[in-house]
């Protein structure tokens, strides 16, 4: 049998002597697409229909071939089909239920595709009819809820979730999908939680359940009261929250694994050999080709969980063996009628914490580490608009984490040290760090490393201003916690200081180009305020006195950049223009840094007169001691001024 014949519902082609032979289900579909009621000629029509194997392609193609007027003529038959599908969901025979679920998927997709330009109420009328919509949708949601909660076939549960995902994702803007009002009224929230709390159900349906919940939470979330938002925000069941975290961690781990496999394959291929021969000429072009489809649906689920539910923060720190190193048996998944949002579920199964084997050779990880690795990959390439939005969502999630008191507690906990292997963008002027040399540190160090990496690697023509602002905000929130709780973090702060100064240098070098698109003074002010925070309150969170010395050394060594910034903002603030006010704010914020540089210059001049010569080793040591003492006095003066203000 030819594939083209099967798609058209033909069992054989027509010839001169014989008529074309069609599948019986196709003939029954043809009867539905007439203006007459098909049950008039055959009272058992609907009973027989759901015993036939569904031909999804033919049914959807038939709907697509009709224009608006033709579709309206058969509205009664479509309403009747929809209602009988709902009735079939209550049948004991599983074949009828499966066929009804698949038919509903095809019907919903087909009608929505045909009526994209019309309003949502027309869709409801076309599918079920205004007069029967409330009762029919109530029966549909109750049947789906019963199937999801029952101890029945896993394939049926999978098809129920696919139908719900189909119902949610048929419109580009979920808030314009008016039929979801009935999903809000007849909630399936408890059924979703039951799936996530059960290890068996979670392995089979966890991904679809998490994505479905994330989508339902976003339905008109800023316009009206969404019951899914309210219910998600108060969930405190540990098994359910851990189940959701495991599903998200597994999906992100799968992405990280795919990227790592492609990276290793790429490095061992032709471009790697060519690079070894001719140098690093082609390294940038080669690595640009490493691309794995991102998973915004699971990112959205993580954001909603972190943003809405304070109890979910504890899940971020739940330790488990590295999922990328685990191998688990896979079970077959039934054919899916739709894949939501263009994303693909992870190929490996989600495993519960109780099922994780203890192996000394397997590195300990958690959801936050997996997410940081994912973010380090996604944020490498922001030239593509799709990845730009993914990177923005990653930074928004990190902002939510950095704002949470409990999250900061375990981020800065010295007893929770991990080795986090972040992906670094290939650059000609630096070598790739060896994974084995990574130290075990508190997780906040990995977050700061990720922020520094982003700052250093995205100074380009298409400047991602929004991402830079969010990045600096995250660093600021972490420093505020360290200052408040007097946490002395052993971190290589010089890398952060150097990255921030280079960012200011980039803003000044590209002033004309950037000002045409962005308010660069907002970002410059945030960077300068970070330095002010280090200068004024660094004694509360910098680990050692030598760290303070390094701070002033870095500021004075790069003082020319601050002088140039002051000259630029002074020039713009003294002229009447669009940027006068934001530039003047930067001018005032630079007082501390300019005072530090001026004090050092004055100190150096006095010491040069006192010592007479800088060649003497003893004189040099005395000069440095005196300089540090003067800087300490300067710092104490700043603190007293701050307290008076």
């Amino acid at each position: 049998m030819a594939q083209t014949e099967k798609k058209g519902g033909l069992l054989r082609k027509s010839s001169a002597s014989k008529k074309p032979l069609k599948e019986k289900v196709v003939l029954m579909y043809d009867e539905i697409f007439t203006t007459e009621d098909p049950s008039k000629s055959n009272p058992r029509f609907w009973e027989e229909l759901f015993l036939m194997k569904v031909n999804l392609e033919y049914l959807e193609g038939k709907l697509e071939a009709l224009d608006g007027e033709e579709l309206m003529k058969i509205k009664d038959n479509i309403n009747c089909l929809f209602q009988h599908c709902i009735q079939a969901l209550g049948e004991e025979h599983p074949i009828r239920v499966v066929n009804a679920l698949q038919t509903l998927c095809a019907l919903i997709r087909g009608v929505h595709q045909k009526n994209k330009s019309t309003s949502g109420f027309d869709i409801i009328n076309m599918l079920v009819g205004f007069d029967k919509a409330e009762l029919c949708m109530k029966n549909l949601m109750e049947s789906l809820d019963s199937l999801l909660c029952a101890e029945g076939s896993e394939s049926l549960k999978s098809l129920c979730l696919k139908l719900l995902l189909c119902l949610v994702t048929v419109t580009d803007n979920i808030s314009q999908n008016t039929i979801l009002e009935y999903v809000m009224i007849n909630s399936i929230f408890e059924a979703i939680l039951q799936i996530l709390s059960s290890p068996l159900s979670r392995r089979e349906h966890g991904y679809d359940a998490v994505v479905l919940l994330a989508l339902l939470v976003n339905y008109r979330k800023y316009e009206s009261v969404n019951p899914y938002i309210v219910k998600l925000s108060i969930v405190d069941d540990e098994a359910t929250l851990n189940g959701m975290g495991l599903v998200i961690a597994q999906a992100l781990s799968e992405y990280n694994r795919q990227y790592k496999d492609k990276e290793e394959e790429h490095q061992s291929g032709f471009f790697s050999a060519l690079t070894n021969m001719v140098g690093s000429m082609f390294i940038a072009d080669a690595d640009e080709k490493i691309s794995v489809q991102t998973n915004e649906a699971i990112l959205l689920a993580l954001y909603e969980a972190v943003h809405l539910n304070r109890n979910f923060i504890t899940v971020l720190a739940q330790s488990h063996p590295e999922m990328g190193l685990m191998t688990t048996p896979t079970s077959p998944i039934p054919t899916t009628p739709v894949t939501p949002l263009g994303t693909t579920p992870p190929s490996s199964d989600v495993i519960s914490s109780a099922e994780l084997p203890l192996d000394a050779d397997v590195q300990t990880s958690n959801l936050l580490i997996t997410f940081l690795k994912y973010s380090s990959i996604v944020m490498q390439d922001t030239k593509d608009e799709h990845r730009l939005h993914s990177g923005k969502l990653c930074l928004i999630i990190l902002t939510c984490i950095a704002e949470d008191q409990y999250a900061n507690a375990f981020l800065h906990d010295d007893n929770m040290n991990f080795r986090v292997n972040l992906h670094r963008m290939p650059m000609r002027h630096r070598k790739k760090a060896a994974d084995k040399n990574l130290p075990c540190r508190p997780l906040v160090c990995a977050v700061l490393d990720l922020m520094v990496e982003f700052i250093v690697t995205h100074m380009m023509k298409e400047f991602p201003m929004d991402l830079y602002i969010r990045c600096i905000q995250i660093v600021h929130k972490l420093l505020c916690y360290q200052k408040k709780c007097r946490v002395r973090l052993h971190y290589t702060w010089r890398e952060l200081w150097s990255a921030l100064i280079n960012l200011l240098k980039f803003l000044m070098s590209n002033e004309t180009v950037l000002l045409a698109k962005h308010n660069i003074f907002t970002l410059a002010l945030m960077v300068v305020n970070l330095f002010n925070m280090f200068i004024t309150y660094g004694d509360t969170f910098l680990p050692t006195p030598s760290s303070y010395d390094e701070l002033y050394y870095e500021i004075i060594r790069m003082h020319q950049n601050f002088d140039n910034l002051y000259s630029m903002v002074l020039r713009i603030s003294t002229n009447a223009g669009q940027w006068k006010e934001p530039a003047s704010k930067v001018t005032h914020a630079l007082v501390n840094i300019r005072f530090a540089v001026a004090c050092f210059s004055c100190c150096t001049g006095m010491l040069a007169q006192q010592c007479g010569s800088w060649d003497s080793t003893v004189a040099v040591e005395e000069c440095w001691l005196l300089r540090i003492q003067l800087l300490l006095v300067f710092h104490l003066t700043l603190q007293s001024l701050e307290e008076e203000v």
Side-chain angles (χ1 to χ4, degrees):
M1 186 189 302
Q3 186 68 21
T4 55
E5 296 173 19
K6 186 176 180 181
K7 285 185 179 180
L10 297 177
L11 295 178
R12 72 175 179 213
K13 290 183 177 180
S14 61
S15 62
S17 58
K18 295 182 180 179
K19 293 182 179 181
L21 186 61
K22 293 185 177 181
E23 298 176 44
K24 183 174 181 180
V25 70
V26 169
L27 294 173
M28 299 182 81
Y29 289 155
D30 289 340
E31 291 186 51
I32 294 173
F33 282 87
T34 61
T35 56
E36 295 184 2
D37 183 359
S39 62
K40 284 184 178 181
S41 57
N42 180 8
R44 294 179 56 84
F45 178 86
W46 299 111
E47 295 179 19
E48 294 176 1
L49 177 64
F50 295 112
L51 290 174
M52 304 288 137
K53 185 178 179 181
V54 179
N55 190 325
L56 292 173
E57 293 184 36
Y58 185 83
L59 183 55
E60 289 188 40
K62 196 77 174 176
L63 287 166
E64 186 179 351
L66 299 176
D67 59 29
E69 292 183 3
E70 292 173 333
L71 198 61
M72 283 301 298
K73 290 178 181 178
I74 62 167
K75 184 183 80 69
D76 291 339
N77 282 356
I78 291 178
N79 290 170
C80 201
L81 174 60
F82 196 89
Q83 292 163 20
H84 279 88
C85 284
I86 296 173
Q87 292 177 15
L89 295 181
E91 298 280 350
E92 294 183 0
H93 204 300
I95 291 179
R96 291 180 181 274
V97 180
V98 169
N99 289 334
L101 289 169
Q102 292 182 334
T103 303
L104 283 170
C105 284
L107 199 56
I108 291 169
R109 283 204 306 267
V111 172
H112 268 278
Q113 287 295 322
K114 203 65 195 173
N115 290 269
K116 274 191 170 181
S117 59
T118 62
S119 66
F121 288 108
D122 292 335
I123 296 295
I124 296 172
N125 188 36
M126 182 62 65
L127 282 174
V128 67
F130 287 137
D131 55 336
K132 300 178 181 177
E134 188 172 345
L135 179 60
C136 283
M137 291 304 300
K138 180 177 182 291
N139 292 336
L140 172 62
M141 297 307 298
E142 287 179 352
S143 296
L144 293 175
D145 185 76
S146 298
L147 290 170
L148 289 173
C149 295
E151 297 181 359
S153 168
E154 297 300 326
S155 297
L156 280 180
K157 292 183 181 181
S158 179
L159 283 174
C160 288
L161 288 169
K162 298 303 179 185
L163 171 59
L164 288 165
L165 286 169
C166 175
L167 189 66
V168 171
T169 59
V170 285
T171 55
D172 294 333
N173 185 344
I174 191 172
S175 294
Q176 294 176 354
N177 189 356
T178 318
I179 203 169
L180 288 186
E181 288 292 338
Y182 299 104
V183 185
M184 297 293 118
I185 297 171
N186 306 284
S187 175
I188 54 165
F189 184 81
E190 286 71 21
I192 295 175
L193 294 193
Q194 183 174 319
I195 290 172
L196 295 176
S197 62
S198 167
L200 177 61
S201 295
R202 185 170 63 244
R203 275 198 296 269
E204 296 289 343
H205 319 295
Y207 181 87
D208 286 342
V210 165
V211 171
L212 176 62
L213 180 59
L215 292 171
L216 291 173
V217 162
N218 279 274
Y219 176 71
R220 297 186 175 178
K221 63 188 301 185
Y222 302 115
E223 301 171 22
S224 59
V225 178
N226 184 323
Y228 290 86
I229 293 179
V230 177
K231 292 180 179 181
L232 178 59
S233 64
I234 60 175
V235 173
D236 58 358
D237 181 65
E238 186 178 352
T240 302
L241 294 174
N242 287 340
M244 185 184 300
L246 283 167
V247 172
I248 296 171
Q250 182 63 32
L252 297 179
S253 295
E254 179 69 9
Y255 176 90
N256 296 344
R257 184 192 63 78
Q258 290 178 11
Y259 182 87
K260 186 175 181 180
D261 291 346
K262 283 200 173 185
E263 187 179 41
E264 292 175 353
E265 178 185 349
H266 184 79
Q267 290 174 351
S268 62
F270 169 75
F271 278 100
S272 178
L274 186 62
T275 303
N276 291 334
M277 289 188 292
V278 299
S280 60
M281 184 183 303
F282 301 103
I283 188 170
D285 296 332
D287 284 281
E288 282 179 3
K289 296 183 179 180
I290 302 176
S291 178
V292 180
Q293 184 182 8
T294 53
N295 195 331
E296 283 71 31
I298 213 70
L299 271 186
L300 181 64
L302 177 58
Y303 165 72
E304 296 297 350
V306 171
H307 174 64
L308 294 175
N309 193 300
R310 290 292 305 277
N311 299 314
F312 188 80
I313 295 294
T314 61
V315 177
L316 296 174
Q318 291 287 340
S319 297
H320 55 70
E322 186 72 57
M323 285 189 176
L325 303 175
M326 304 294 296
T327 55
T328 56
T330 59
S331 56
I333 299 176
T335 304
T336 59
V338 64
T339 304
L341 300 182
T343 61
T344 305
S347 58
S348 52
D349 294 330
V350 177
I351 48 182
S352 67
S353 56
E355 298 163 331
L356 293 171
L358 298 177
D359 188 345
D361 297 328
V362 177
Q363 182 181 335
T364 302
S365 182
N366 56 39
L367 175 55
L368 182 58
I369 293 175
T370 306
F371 171 66
L372 290 174
K373 291 180 180 179
Y374 178 91
S375 300
S376 69
I377 298 172
V378 170
M379 293 195 302
Q380 285 184 16
D381 180 19
T382 58
K383 294 179 182 178
D384 176 62
E385 185 177 1
H386 184 74
R387 287 180 174 268
L388 178 68
H389 294 315
S390 289
K392 182 178 179 180
L393 187 50
C394 288
L395 288 173
I396 291 174
I397 294 170
L398 281 173
T399 302
C400 293
I401 294 171
E403 289 175 342
D404 187 88
Q405 188 78 3
Y406 179 79
N408 270 300
F410 73 73
L411 280 175
H412 292 84
D413 191 347
D414 272 335
N415 297 318
M416 296 178 62
N417 294 329
F418 297 89
R419 184 177 288 109
V420 185
N421 180 25
L422 300 176
H423 291 262
R424 289 158 58 92
M425 185 181 293
M427 301 180 76
R428 294 185 179 92
H429 65 275
R430 71 179 183 186
K431 295 181 179 179
K432 185 176 181 180
D435 298 350
K436 296 180 181 179
N437 297 330
L438 292 172
C440 283
R441 301 175 298 172
L443 285 174
V444 67
C445 295
V447 178
L448 290 170
D449 283 346
L450 181 62
M451 299 301 100
V452 170
E453 176 69 11
F454 181 84
I455 293 171
V456 170
T457 56
H458 289 78
M459 301 178 198
M460 53 192 179
K461 184 178 180 181
E462 296 297 327
F463 190 69
M465 175 64 75
D466 188 26
L467 300 192
Y468 265 98
I469 289 177
R470 293 184 183 278
C471 180
I472 301 301
Q473 285 175 340
I474 291 170
V475 176
H476 181 259
K477 293 178 189 300
L478 295 175
L479 290 181
C480 286
Y481 176 83
Q482 294 170 24
K483 168 186 169 293
K484 178 183 177 182
C485 299
R486 295 183 175 270
V487 177
R488 299 191 181 276
L489 182 66
H490 290 275
Y491 182 72
T492 51
W493 293 108
R494 179 179 289 183
E495 292 183 4
L496 175 62
W497 300 330
S498 178
L500 293 173
I501 293 172
N502 286 327
L503 175 58
L504 291 176
K505 185 178 179 181
F506 174 82
L507 294 178
M508 290 182 289
S509 301
N510 298 272
E511 172 193 348
T512 305
V513 176
L514 293 177
L515 274 178
K517 302 178 181 179
H518 311 288
N519 179 6
I520 62 174
F521 302 107
T522 299
L523 181 59
L525 179 62
M526 294 173 68
V527 173
V528 172
N529 282 337
L530 280 183
F531 278 105
N532 286 336
M533 193 170 183
F534 277 106
I535 291 172
T536 310
Y537 302 107
D539 62 322
T540 62
F541 58 85
L542 287 175
T544 60
S546 62
S547 301
Y548 235 126
D549 197 31
E550 288 181 3
L551 169 64
Y552 287 114
Y553 173 78
E554 199 67 23
I555 291 174
I556 293 163
R557 184 176 71 87
M558 304 295 287
H559 73 92
Q560 190 64 46
N561 291 296
F562 294 106
D563 293 341
N564 293 340
L565 177 62
Y566 181 76
S567 300
M568 183 186 82
V569 295
L570 185 63
R571 166 173 51 84
I572 294 175
S573 62
T574 52
N575 298 325
Q578 179 184 359
W579 309 114
K580 180 177 180 178
E581 185 177 347
S584 63
K585 292 181 180 179
V586 182
T587 306
H588 297 309
L590 281 167
V591 170
N592 283 357
I593 297 174
R594 297 187 71 243
F595 184 44
V597 174
C599 282
F600 178 79
S601 299
C602 180
C603 172
T604 304
M606 290 189 298
L607 289 174
Q609 292 178 0
Q610 180 180 347
C611 298
S613 171
W614 288 87
D615 295 332
S616 169
T617 304
V618 176
V620 170
E621 289 178 355
E622 290 177 355
C623 294
W624 276 99
L625 272 173
L626 184 55
R627 180 178 70 82
I628 293 171
Q629 290 171 358
L630 286 172
L631 287 174
L632 181 59
V633 172
F634 157 71
H635 170 66
L636 293 173
T637 304
L638 281 179
Q639 276 193 324
S640 62
L641 289 172
E642 189 79 22
E643 290 172 0
E644 290 177 6
V645 172

